[in-house]
Structures are given as C-alpha cells and as structure tokens.
Amino acid sequence: MTAPVPADEPATTASANAPTLLRLHPTSLLFHAITFARQFVFPIIVLLLQLRKDRGPWVWWVLGGMVVLFIAAAVARFLTTRYGLSADALHVRSGVFARQQRVIPFGRIQTVNVRQSAMQRVLRMSELRVETATQGLEAEVTLSVLPWRAAQALREQLVAERRRALDAVSGSADAASVATSSPVAERVDATARTTAAEAPTPHVITALDTERLMLAGATSNNVVALLALLVSGFDRIRSSFFDDLDLTDGVIGVLGSVQGAIGDSAALVLFVLLVLVPLLVGAWVVSVGGSVVRWYGFTLEQVGRDLRRRYGFFSRVETSVPMMRAQALRYHESMLRRPFGLGELTLVSAGAAAGGRGAEGGTQVLLPILRRPELSGYVPVVFPTATLNDVLERTVREAPWHRPMRRAVLRVAASESISMVMLLAALAVWRPHYVPVTAWLLPLIWLIAWLQVRTRGLAVAHGHVIVRRGGISRSTIILPESKLQLIEVRQGPLQRLIGSATLRLTTAGVGGDVDMEDLPLDEARAMQENLQARLARTVRRTVRPTRS
C-alpha cells in the first residue's frame, strides 16, 4: 500500500484491494455549505417578505439555526467523503446516514471533466466529475472541491488508466483472434497501441477567436428570447411605476397628444425607434456578451483517442469525450443562422447523464459556431472513415438522397391542424374575441408543413447514414452504420392512409432515436432490410470465431 497523499496532490495507485482513501480539500466545507444554503434561499426570501412588517427575534433565531445546520451538514459531508485509486478502479466512499461505496473500473469510465465556477476560480479550486455509460440523472462521481492542479493531474491519471485498461482488453481480444467492433475502432485501437507507452500529445483541432464567438451570440436564438423577456419586463416595470406614482392618466394624455399631433403612422415609427429598436439592440448586446463569456478561449483538441474542450471566462470548463463512445454528429442551423450558412455542431455519445446539460448530457457541443461548408472537414475528426463531402454539399432533391412522399404535407398539416382546432374550440368558450386572430394561424400551419417535408431527406453513403430534417431551422444528423442498434419501420394512422412510413434508427446515445418520416412504405422496408443486412455483414466480419 502506498503512503497517504496530501489533499493538494493527485491520488496515487494503491493495491487493488486496499486503496489509500483521501479527503477532499478543506475548502470544500465552504462550497458544501453554500450548496445546502441554495436549496433554502427561495423559502427564506418568501418568509422575510411575508414578515417584513412583523419580524420578531424568533426570525433571526431561526435563520441563525439554519446557518448552523448548513455548516454542520457541510462538515459531515467533508468528513465522510473519501476517494482513492486502486490498481484497476476508482473508489469513492460517501454518505452520512446511508453509507455508499462506489467502485468504478477504469475501463468503464467514459468522460472525466474538470470544472471551475467563478468563486472556485478565485480560490484556485475545481470540481472533478467522472461519468460512465450509465444513463443516470447526474455524474457517477463528483469530487468537489479539489485544487485546480490536483484535479487536472487526477484527470490525466484516470484517462491514462482507462487507456491502459482498454488496451489490455484489446490485447486479450487480439490474442483470441477476436477483431475490434468496427473499422473505425480498428484504426483507433491501432493508433492507441503504438502510443500506449507514452502519453499522447495534444493536437489542437481548432480554436475560436472572439470574433467567431460574437457571431455565435449575435445569431443565437437567445436574441429573440431576450427581446421577449425585455419587452415583458419593460411593460411590467412601466405599469407598476406609473400605477404607484398615479401618473398613468398624465402619461396617456401626453401620448395621446403626441399621436394626435404627428399622426398614427408617425407615432408608430417613433415607437419603433424609441422603444423596440433599443430593446432589440439591448437583447443583441446581452446575447453577444453572454456568448463571449461562456465560450471564451474555446479550444477543441485531440488527445490520443479523446476529444477535449476548454472554454470559459468566469467559469472554466475542461471536458473530454472518448471518440470510441461517439454515436452521432448533429449539425443544427437555427432560424437566425440558416440564412448565413452557420450552425452548431454537437456530438451524441453513449450513456452520460440523461438529465444533464452540456457535458453532463448525452450531447456535447463540439463547436458553438461552424460554417456550413466547413462541416465535411470536421466529420472525419470524430468518424475517420467518413468522406461525405459529395453528399453534404448536395440538396435533398439530388441523388443519393431519399425524400418523403409529397402527400406527407397533408399528414403533417392535418396533425398540426387538429391541435389548432382544439385550441380554437377552447378559446371559443373562454376567450371568444381571440378566435378570429388565432384562426389566421391555420394557413401558416400548412406553410410550415410544406417547408418541413421539403427539407427532409435520408442518404446512405460510405458506411454512414445521413438524415436531414427541419423547416424554418434545419438539422443534419450523421450516424455510422456500425453504431446502429435497432432499425424499425413504423406507421401511424394517418401514414397508413397515405401509404407512408417512418424509418427509425436507434443508437446507444442518449436520445439516440433518429426518425425519417413519411418515406414510401416499400422504400422504407427496402432500406430497413438493406441496413440490417449491411450491419449483419459488419458484425460477421468483425467478430471471428476463436481458433482452436
């Protein structure tokens, strides 16, 4: 057994059965107390507001008791949390009343992420998260907090141990004449075995400058959301302000005088210039600033068989994803970005925390902003055998793309119209004067349905399936055939009437179902049989019988 290691140093490998368990950094007491306090902030604020006119001494006694409780809970968590490394696994022991001991084999580790909040960055602390292929609601292990350098060193050690574990499994399979699971995996494993003796050298794939990050913020959908929020907040503040000061009649009189003096059209122009334009500029500035702060210093690099991202201005994040876990790539062009040929590239990985966001979810943003012509150059970074330039550059109206039936417009519009008719019926009972305004949305539904069907397409090329869908916005999903787990043909009631079907492709990724809707039934079945036959040949080619 190795000697204990100080809290500001990475854990060293101990014996397989008796690892040396270490405590977190003492600063974790502060962050644990803050975490507990956050859960009661809203009830405390509500209590203080309700008792703002009648606060007796007992209120402060209650608040003081809660502070003592938070500190006691933080101390208990700190004293009962231990972590350490054995020869083949990460061990974590935690729990105050219900004790929990987790043993995570190195070969099961999927991602190891290091994060820093703004406060942690000031104190040079960080949080390390370890995720496996289980689809839980949070990371499998969270060590909060560790010194920044110690967390980085521990991450590198865990990644190296995971690499050795996978190499050992790969070597055993080779000795038994069992090939790897796919041509992509063969190439990755061959590269890893040649460099197993030394740590891989990071290779920078791309780094986004401030100009690109500003472009990402300026074209994100956050601009529209912030504009709506600002308009709502402006209206609430205006109403509350004038109501409290009893100046509503005077303001309305002034506005009425201005409107009578310059006319309705001029008043509308003045309203747009003095109100809407400043709100739009404000929303745009906030969105741009938020994008720069969030993605500041964004760097995507390849380290051995992993893709690693680094970004963040106040809160710093370093995450890594094994390329072997990649299930699909999604390129999404939002409503504001599509006219400019811009989009966001995300990676869908196997497992991860289904209820999380970003690095904790089944998808991770590989590039927050990417020009459409550059997409084909980044796909081989994740899927080395994917040479899809000729397919991605063509429209869905050209070969080898397969398109949905034209009658699919009727099905999509009918499905959406049913919901709209139900809404109109409800409005007719509760708000009859809204019915004429809402009825104008029915023609818009048919236009959106036409756009959705027009932009759908599916192509199979070079061992990959590409699905393109959307309407006003558009998404392109790229799936390797070797990652497919299930291929289904489904028919809904309306699809049976028009003779169409949905081809569903399922991978091991979170939210891994990709649907190509309204293909002709015969074409969907033929494509299902073709993909299943090709997948079966891949399995027979990659899984060989053991020689006697």
Side-chain angles (χ1 to χ4, degrees):
M1 181 184 300
T2 58
V5 181
D8 58 347
E9 296 294 335
T12 57
T13 305
S15 64
N17 297 323
T20 300
L21 296 180
L22 309 174
R23 285 179 179 172
L24 302 173
H25 194 272
T27 314
S28 60
L29 289 167
L30 172 63
F31 291 96
H32 290 335
I34 293 175
T35 300
F36 289 126
R38 284 177 179 173
Q39 302 176 10
F40 296 91
V41 167
F42 184 73
I44 291 175
I45 293 176
V46 172
L47 177 64
L48 293 178
L49 290 177
Q50 293 293 330
L51 301 175
R52 61 183 181 273
K53 296 182 180 179
D54 185 20
R55 282 183 198 159
W58 65 272
V59 175
W60 304 111
W61 281 103
V62 170
L63 293 178
M66 295 183 70
V67 171
V68 173
L69 181 63
F70 298 152
I71 296 175
V75 172
R77 175 177 289 186
F78 171 76
L79 294 177
T80 57
T81 302
R82 300 284 193 278
Y83 73 97
L85 304 183
S86 65
D88 55 1
L90 168 66
H91 298 251
V92 178
R93 187 178 298 168
S94 61
V96 180
F97 299 105
R99 299 290 292 169
Q100 183 180 24
Q101 182 169 351
R102 283 164 288 181
V103 180
I104 303 176
F106 295 134
R108 299 298 182 184
I109 294 176
Q110 176 171 327
T111 61
V112 185
N113 304 328
V114 178
R115 292 176 170 267
Q116 274 187 313
S117 64
M119 186 175 180
Q120 288 172 346
R121 194 166 185 177
V122 171
L123 299 176
R124 296 182 180 180
M125 295 290 122
S126 62
E127 180 179 272
L128 185 136
R129 302 180 183 182
V130 179
E131 297 176 0
T132 64
T134 57
Q135 298 183 4
L137 297 178
E138 57 185 13
E140 186 74 19
V141 169
T142 300
L143 300 179
S144 176
V145 293
L146 298 173
W148 171 253
R149 294 186 181 276
Q152 285 185 313
L154 180 57
R155 180 190 62 188
E156 296 299 332
Q157 188 172 0
L158 289 173
V159 171
E161 295 291 350
R162 182 193 66 196
R163 188 185 307 118
R164 294 190 187 98
L166 294 177
D167 289 341
V169 173
S170 174
S172 300
D174 289 341
S177 299
V178 178
T180 53
S181 60
S182 66
V184 178
E186 290 178 2
R187 178 174 176 177
V188 171
D189 286 342
T191 303
R193 284 193 293 270
T194 58
T195 59
E198 57 184 10
T201 302
H203 168 66
V204 177
I205 298 173
T206 187
L208 299 183
D209 54 19
T210 305
E211 182 180 354
R212 282 271 183 128
L213 299 180
M214 293 178 64
L215 183 62
T219 57
S220 68
N221 289 335
N222 293 334
V223 175
V224 179
L226 286 171
L227 178 61
L229 182 63
L230 289 176
V231 170
S232 175
F234 174 79
D235 181 69
R236 289 178 177 272
I237 292 173
R238 177 190 60 79
S239 300
S240 176
F241 178 76
F242 288 128
D243 288 345
D244 291 342
L245 295 183
D246 197 21
L247 294 176
T248 305
D249 294 338
V251 172
I252 293 177
V254 172
L255 294 177
S257 301
V258 172
Q259 184 176 359
I262 66 177
D264 294 341
S265 300
L268 179 61
V269 172
L270 189 63
F271 175 78
V272 170
L273 293 177
L274 297 182
V275 178
L276 292 185
V277 171
L279 286 176
L280 180 60
V281 172
W284 181 82
V285 171
V286 171
S287 179
V288 171
S291 176
V292 173
V293 169
R294 178 186 179 187
W295 300 110
Y296 180 80
F298 185 93
T299 303
L300 177 65
E301 58 186 13
Q302 182 175 349
V303 185
R305 292 177 291 182
D306 295 349
L307 291 176
R308 183 175 298 173
R309 306 174 306 157
R310 298 198 308 270
Y311 59 89
F313 187 80
F314 295 114
S315 300
R316 184 162 53 178
V317 179
E318 292 192 9
T319 65
S320 61
V321 181
M323 289 189 291
M324 294 175 60
R325 304 282 188 179
Q327 302 294 310
L329 284 174
R330 298 176 186 266
Y331 180 70
H332 180 68
E333 303 167 81
S334 64
M335 177 181 62
L336 296 180
R337 289 177 175 176
R338 186 176 176 185
F340 302 100
L342 299 172
E344 180 184 76
L345 183 64
T346 60
L347 181 145
V348 181
S349 59
R357 295 178 296 173
E360 290 75 48
T363 62
Q364 298 196 41
V365 177
L366 282 188
L367 288 171
I369 191 74
L370 178 65
R371 301 187 186 277
R372 189 184 305 149
E374 300 174 351
L375 174 60
S376 57
Y378 282 93
V379 174
V381 172
V382 182
F383 304 131
T385 62
T387 54
L388 306 175
N389 308 44
D390 54 337
V391 179
L392 295 175
E393 294 174 0
R394 297 180 183 180
T395 65
V396 294
R397 293 182 292 275
E398 303 177 77
W401 288 95
H402 300 265
R403 301 186 62 193
M405 302 175 63
R406 293 183 178 180
R407 285 177 291 179
V409 177
L410 301 176
R411 185 198 68 81
V412 176
S415 300
E416 299 297 334
S417 298
I418 291 174
S419 302
M420 182 57 64
V421 169
M422 295 176 63
L423 175 61
L424 290 175
L427 289 176
V429 176
W430 299 101
R431 296 289 187 270
H433 54 281
Y434 286 162
V435 172
V437 177
T438 311
W440 283 100
L441 296 176
L442 287 174
L444 181 62
I445 288 176
W446 285 80
L447 175 61
I448 294 176
W450 177 77
L451 289 174
Q452 289 179 350
V453 174
R454 183 174 178 268
T455 56
R456 287 179 187 167
L458 181 145
V460 180
H462 308 292
H464 293 74
V465 182
I466 306 99
V467 178
R468 184 170 289 169
R469 62 192 183 188
I472 300 176
S473 59
R474 185 172 71 175
S475 295
T476 301
I477 304 102
I478 302 169
L479 307 95
E481 293 179 2
S482 58
K483 301 293 184 179
L484 295 177
Q485 302 289 322
L486 182 63
I487 306 168
E488 296 180 277
V489 173
R490 296 188 170 196
Q491 272 191 303
L494 295 179
Q495 288 179 324
R496 295 179 67 180
L497 290 176
I498 65 174
S500 67
T502 296
L503 183 68
R504 170 164 291 185
L505 308 172
T506 303
T507 66
V510 173
D513 293 338
V514 178
D515 292 340
M516 177 58 195
E517 298 178 333
D518 295 311
L519 286 171
L521 179 58
D522 295 339
E523 187 174 340
R525 288 175 175 171
M527 191 166 295
Q528 179 191 29
E529 294 176 359
N530 181 31
L531 288 174
Q532 287 177 340
R534 296 173 66 163
L535 185 59
R537 287 196 297 268
T538 302
V539 173
R540 287 195 298 268
R541 185 170 59 249
T542 56
V543 181
R544 302 166 186 168
T546 305
R547 295 177 183 177
S548 57

